[in-house]
Amino acid sequence: MGARLGHLQLVQGERNRQLAEENRIRILPKPPVRGNILDRNGNIIADSRLSYSAFLWPLAKAEPNWETTVNRLSEILNISVEEITSRLDDVPVDSPQLVRIARGLTPEQVTAIEEYNYELSGVELDIEPVRDYPYGSTAAHLLGYTGEITQEELDNRGGDYRLGDIIGRMGAEAAFEQRLRGEWGGQQVEVNGAGRIIRILGEQEAKAGRNVTLTLDIELQEAAEEALGNRVGAIVALDPNNGEVLAMASRPTFDPNIFSGNITSEVWQELQGKDNPFVNRALRGFPPASTFKIVPATAGMESGQYPPNTVLNTSAFLNVSGVRVGEWNRAGFGRIGYRGALAWSSNTFFGQVGRGVGGETLIDWAKRYGFGQKTTLELPEEASGLIADEEWKQQRFNTSWSEGDTVNMSLGQGLTLATPLQVAVMFAVPANGGYRVNPHFLKTDDNQSLEKVSLNLQNSTLNTLREGLREVVTNGTGSAVNVSTIPQAAGKTGTAEARPRASHAWFGGYAPNDNPEIVVVAFAEHSGGGGGAVAAPMARQVMEAYFNRD
């Protein structure tokens, strides 16, 4: 016995003193309060509230009653034993830091943990901030949500992140993570043999994250989501003069508040649901249909091959390399110019223009309008859409670009894919006098980084486009927007084939016609019906909300 005591004190004394000290002195980390997210008018659309979280000391896993502890905790928190255990797998047993097991506990769960305290060795309750979205599912895709960092994410990020960090996922929460997250604080405490805190040895206050103000107008966002209703699709509202995103709605959607609590595998599966509710359809590519006819119109006039006074004969179909490309009314519109062709969305008119200028010219103008590339929007989940060309088609299909590809592109069909945001950027060009804006939703006074890009359009081209888009509303397929409840508007309808499923419906437009303040693009996925009947009323509803505020 004496030899053993001597060995423990003399040979292993330093190590044992270190273990005793680590068991006596513990660190209680304090997470920072995440910065708030506000809309353009100062309304708080994401903030933090205080809520109970459950933590475990890693040493609990080595306790003899661990099985009782983990089974009872699993029952109370509705989390599997495997999940609880896995949270401790990457943490050393002698780690002096608590490991979060669950956050956003209900009052019933807090009471149960207190009642069964005698069975829950190593379990601690603490109050910490959790994310709260007061408008629920409104603007969910734009705002995103938060979640606890995984080990894989921690390995990839490095820096000053640690296990237990809450990070942004999707939307503004992810895009402005560094602004919002703040800095951890904590307490160094002395505990007794039962693990109870005897005294606080030191403390460092957590540093709150910075607030972020978006260009979003939450009232207009609510109107956009109401206009979408239960349809699958998206609506984008944009300031055509500076690119500020005023609203961006996508359906189906989700409530980001659910991620402030525990997400079980069953709940996660249920959230996936039908039609991918986590996909922001405003940033996904679809055939833009006849809204895209602005591009061949521009290409025709700017090339000089089809000047603004061009008049072409339209008919029931256009013969393209032996394939008939039909007019949507199956009869044609006789001899018409650009204004009439836009008003009645003539396929055979713009098919002739596109075929005449050729694929390269058409592709060039599509890219100048911003298609086929991501915009400057801050969201990482934005898709680039697709403007195919000879090289792309050779790589993908091992075939050459054809006349049919050119005509299909002229009609916004075939290989062409565009996001509703890109379509909104296109409509901003005639609205603001010929500039491609850089869309963004971080409110900033730094206009230099957001300068518009001039497309150097001739005045005659701009005037013809604007007159034609106005005629769409006054005397064409967009008459649903020709109402007294909003200022005079201009726009373009579109109906994209999506066989064998129902067609997509589009409408893009702006108002007031003489001095545009807002661009609205409405898209209904597989809705059936035409853009004028389905999408135009949706856009009108958003414009009414914008222009008829109290």
Side-chain angles (χ1 to χ4, degrees), residues 195-376:
R196 301 298 179 187
I197 296 174
I198 299 174
R199 59 181 175 138
I200 297 174
L201 302 177
E203 185 169 6
Q204 180 177 336
E205 291 292 332
K207 185 178 180 181
R210 291 180 288 165
N211 293 345
V212 168
T213 300
L214 304 183
T215 61
L216 182 74
D217 183 324
I218 195 63
E219 291 185 8
L220 194 66
Q221 179 73 25
E222 290 179 316
E225 301 207 12
E226 183 179 344
L228 263 176
N230 293 324
R231 298 183 186 91
V232 176
I235 292 179
V236 174
L238 198 69
D239 184 327
N241 300 300
N242 59 21
E244 291 183 347
V245 175
L246 305 177
M248 181 180 286
S250 178
R251 288 280 199 239
T253 187
F254 63 95
D255 185 350
N257 285 302
I258 59 179
F259 294 96
S260 296
N262 298 323
I263 300 294
T264 64
S265 57
E266 292 79 11
V267 171
W268 179 251
Q269 290 299 323
E270 184 179 342
L271 284 173
Q272 298 302 304
K274 186 181 179 182
D275 293 322
N276 300 310
F278 292 98
V279 172
N280 186 349
R281 284 166 167 77
L283 304 179
R284 286 293 177 268
F286 303 92
S290 294
T291 60
F292 192 79
K293 288 173 179 172
I294 290 173
V295 174
T298 304
M301 288 183 278
E302 288 296 306
S303 69
Q305 293 179 251
Y306 298 90
N309 61 356
T310 295
V311 174
L312 299 175
N313 186 55
T314 63
S315 56
F317 63 89
L318 190 65
N319 193 320
V320 181
S321 301
V323 177
R324 291 186 174 187
V325 176
E327 190 64 82
W328 65 268
N329 70 349
R330 301 181 181 179
F333 302 95
R335 290 179 59 78
I336 53 175
Y338 280 107
R339 296 167 185 80
L342 285 168
W344 292 107
S345 198
S346 172
N347 290 339
T348 56
F349 181 94
F350 288 106
Q352 291 179 76
V353 173
R355 181 170 61 182
V357 299
E360 287 189 10
T361 300
L362 196 61
I363 291 167
D364 176 55
W365 276 103
K367 291 180 177 179
R368 292 196 204 186
Y369 268 101
F371 292 107
Q373 56 197 301
K374 291 184 178 182
T375 71
T376 52

